[in-house]
Structures are given as C-alpha cells and as structure tokens.
Amino acid sequence: MNKRENYLITAKGGKGEFVPSFPADVNVFALPFWKAIDPQTGTDFMNVKWVKNDAGSMPDESHRAMDDITKWREIIKFPVLSELDWEGMAKAFNDNRDPEKADIAMLNTAGIFLIPINMMGWVDGLCAIYEEPEEFEALISALTDFIVELAGYINKYIKPDVMFTGDDLASANGPFVSKEIWNKMYKPYFIKIIDAIHEGGAMAEFHNCGNNQWLIDEYMEIGVDICQLPEPNEDLLRAKEKYGSRLVLTGGWDRHGEGAMPGAPEDVVRKSVRDAIDIYGKDGGLIFWDGGICGTSDDSKQKMAWVLDELAKYGSVVYK
C-alpha cells in the first residue's frame, strides 16, 4: 500500500497500514494569486499589507485595507479566474507530483470570515457584523461566489483527492462568533463552498486551528470530510467519541501540551506523539500533523525532528 492509498483510506475514516503524515504524504497544489503582492502598493488584491514574523505572515496592523465596509466593491480586485493559465498550472503540478502521494489543492486559507477581518482589523471587522449586517453579508456572498468558482476550476484542471478550505473561526478560548451569527451569516455560504468542492469529486477539508467546541457539530452537518487542526481538548475528545470514524482529523498533536513547550525533553516530546495517535487515531481517521512549530530556534528544530521520527516509528506499527 503506497502513501496515497493509505492516506485516502484514512481520509474516509478508515484504518490504513500506518498513520499518514501531513504534509509529508501529499502533493500540494497552491494558487499563487493568494500571496501575490502588488510591487507598487505592497498590498494583495484585497488591499491588505502583510508583515513577516516568527509565526509567518500577518496583516500589518498599521495599515487598514478598508475603514468602511460599504466600500468593499471599490477595494477588492478579484482575479479573473477564466484568464488564469489553468492548463499551464496543471501541467506544472503534474510534472512535479509524486504519484504515490495523495493530491491536495489549497482552495483558500483565509475565507469568508477571515478576509473581512484582515481588511478591517478584529475590532472593526467584528463590529461591522452588527453595524452593517446587509453590507457584511453582501461581501460574504461575493467572496463565496469567488471561492465557489475557484473550486470549479481546481476540480476541472487539477482533479485533487482533497480540497482544503477554511477560516480561523475560533481562538484558543472558543469560537469568535455566536451560534446565531454562524447560522445567519456564515453557515449558508460555507454549505455552498463545501458543495462546490464535492461537485468535482474531491473531499472537503476544513481548517480551523482554534478551540472549535460546537463548531465541530456544524462541520459534520454541512458535509465536511476532514477537520484540520482543531485544538485537542475535552470538547474535541467528546466529538470524536460521538462521531467515531466519521470525524476525521488532520492534526491530533497537542500544540499547547508538555511536548510542545520550549525545552521539552525528548521522552516527553515522543510521548506526546504517541498520545495523539492513541487518543485520536486508535480506530483510524487520524492524519497526523503537528501544525507547524512557530519559530526557527534550535529547540524547535530538535523538537520537530523528534516528533517526525516518533511518528515514523510508532505510526508504522500501531495498527499492526
């Protein structure tokens, strides 16, 4: 059984020969326009400026892409998807892919929740939900239409096994939005996105790397196939017990646990990997991912080496 076969068995809630690893066991297709920066303005197509730090790239807090949500139509310059070189991108992807690995296409990382936040900042962005609900929903609808159209092109030309979408809808303390706002403002549009992914035959993977709590139930209801990086905690454990193999996870490793702490000794780090597999992958349905350890220190590099080595060792024998 090669990595692709094993990955897809796991992605469908089964138990393969070994615990698959993200991103090591996949070919990843990513669209360049999401990170393209205008050389004159220093902004992306949503007028957001980005700064780099140890955690990656974050919106520049000194720059507001939009102060008035009613102006979004004038500010966002959506790429014309029909004009992109899809055949060329597909050829480049296929020329470099490993046929023994699963294919994942990144539909979007920031989406209908996070894009308005990135443009307006957290305070103004969340306030706009209540202050300008009609305009806010009009923006969400336009973003959804763009993402749905994009999913169609990806399914047609790339034909991935899994398509990755998502939004950081939760912090470490829980969801940023109430159930009322989720149901009214977001759920109908996320359903459209998940349906568009499924229309082309791909599985839908949803990223939300916070404390998801009740959102897990919502993801199951709207047809999400794989939940990426929900924070391991008692709520997630209860959800796993509730849904069993239907709740497939990419992640599992406790990024806030003892094994992730600076200076954590080797035995603690290795145990944290085994615990993640035993807790969330005992019956299959776990694609292991540490989620990426922030920073480039020697400590982080060493920790990563132990994590991946233990995954290779324990993950290859745990199901035998």
Side-chain angles (χ1 to χ4, degrees):
M1 182 181 294
N2 63 28
K3 291 180 178 180
R4 179 177 184 271
E5 294 166 336
N6 187 77
Y7 200 98
L8 294 183
I9 288 172
T10 304
K12 295 173 183 176
K15 183 187 292 186
E17 291 183 351
F18 52 91
V19 179
S21 172
F22 181 86
D25 294 357
V26 298
N27 306 298
V28 178
F29 171 79
L31 287 151
F33 68 72
W34 286 114
K35 293 187 176 181
I37 300 299
D38 186 307
Q40 294 183 335
T41 64
T43 63
D44 62 17
F45 72 88
M46 293 160 286
N47 195 34
V48 177
K49 284 188 176 182
W50 297 86
V51 293
K52 292 184 177 181
N53 56 29
D54 286 342
S57 294
M58 305 294 285
D60 186 346
E61 294 184 359
S62 66
H63 171 80
R64 279 289 179 266
M66 179 170 63
D67 293 319
D68 181 353
I69 197 167
T70 65
K71 304 296 184 183
W72 66 267
R73 295 170 186 83
E74 305 166 20
I75 294 171
I76 298 180
K77 308 299 181 185
F78 287 110
V80 180
L81 297 179
S82 62
E83 296 179 356
L84 299 183
D85 182 12
W86 288 100
E87 291 182 353
M89 288 189 290
K91 184 180 185 304
F93 175 68
N94 288 320
D95 286 348
N96 292 283
R97 64 183 288 275
D98 183 341
E100 295 200 348
K101 294 183 178 182
D103 295 331
I104 288 187
M106 296 179 67
L107 177 59
N108 61 290
T109 49
I112 62 175
F113 172 76
L114 202 52
I115 287 174
I117 298 297
N118 287 343
M119 294 178 72
M120 300 186 71
W122 281 96
V123 174
D124 291 343
L126 291 175
C127 285
I129 295 174
Y130 295 93
E131 294 173 347
E132 295 282 356
E134 292 184 1
E135 278 298 315
F136 202 94
E137 189 166 0
L139 172 54
I140 287 176
S141 180
L143 291 169
T144 299
D145 290 344
F146 177 74
I147 292 170
V148 164
E149 183 185 3
L150 180 57
Y153 278 101
I154 292 174
N155 270 325
K156 179 180 179 179
Y157 288 95
I158 307 303
K159 299 177 175 62
D161 298 306
V162 179
M163 202 180 302
F164 161 107
T165 185
D167 256 314
D168 286 327
L169 280 155
S171 71
N173 296 320
F176 288 117
V177 297
S178 67
K179 288 185 180 181
E180 178 185 3
I181 293 297
W182 161 265
N183 286 325
K184 180 181 183 300
M185 193 76 76
Y186 293 104
K187 187 174 183 176
Y189 298 100
F190 277 122
I191 288 174
K192 290 182 179 181
I193 293 170
I194 300 302
D195 286 349
I197 293 172
H198 286 155
E199 278 182 18
M203 301 180 71
E205 181 162 1
F206 194 98
H207 171 93
N208 184 2
C209 59
N211 182 358
N212 284 256
Q213 297 178 357
W214 52 267
L215 282 169
I216 295 292
D217 290 328
E218 296 297 318
Y219 302 152
M220 296 295 96
E221 185 175 329
I222 66 176
V224 169
D225 299 296
I226 307 167
C227 292
Q228 187 183 102
L229 284 184
E231 182 178 291
N233 54 31
E234 290 300 317
D235 289 318
L236 183 61
L237 184 57
R238 281 192 290 270
K240 187 64 175 173
E241 292 171 349
K242 175 181 178 180
Y243 293 104
S245 61
R246 186 177 162 222
L247 175 54
V248 179
L249 301 174
T250 295
W253 191 65
D254 188 352
R255 305 182 302 282
H256 304 293
E258 292 183 8
M261 294 297 102
E266 180 177 358
D267 61 326
V268 173
V269 174
R270 290 184 179 275
K271 182 178 183 299
S272 70
V273 176
R274 297 192 300 273
D275 287 346
I277 294 171
D278 290 343
I279 293 171
Y280 295 105
K282 61 181 179 180
D283 299 316
L286 173 68
I287 300 162
F288 184 92
W289 188 25
D290 59 89
I293 297 174
C294 295
T296 57
S297 68
D298 290 341
D299 177 68
S300 292
K301 292 177 181 178
Q302 178 61 80
K303 194 181 284 95
M304 180 69 73
W306 288 332
V307 165
L308 297 179
D309 184 64
E310 191 63 26
L311 172 62
K313 290 177 178 176
Y314 189 64
S316 64
V317 301
V318 67
Y319 294 148
K320 296 179 181 179

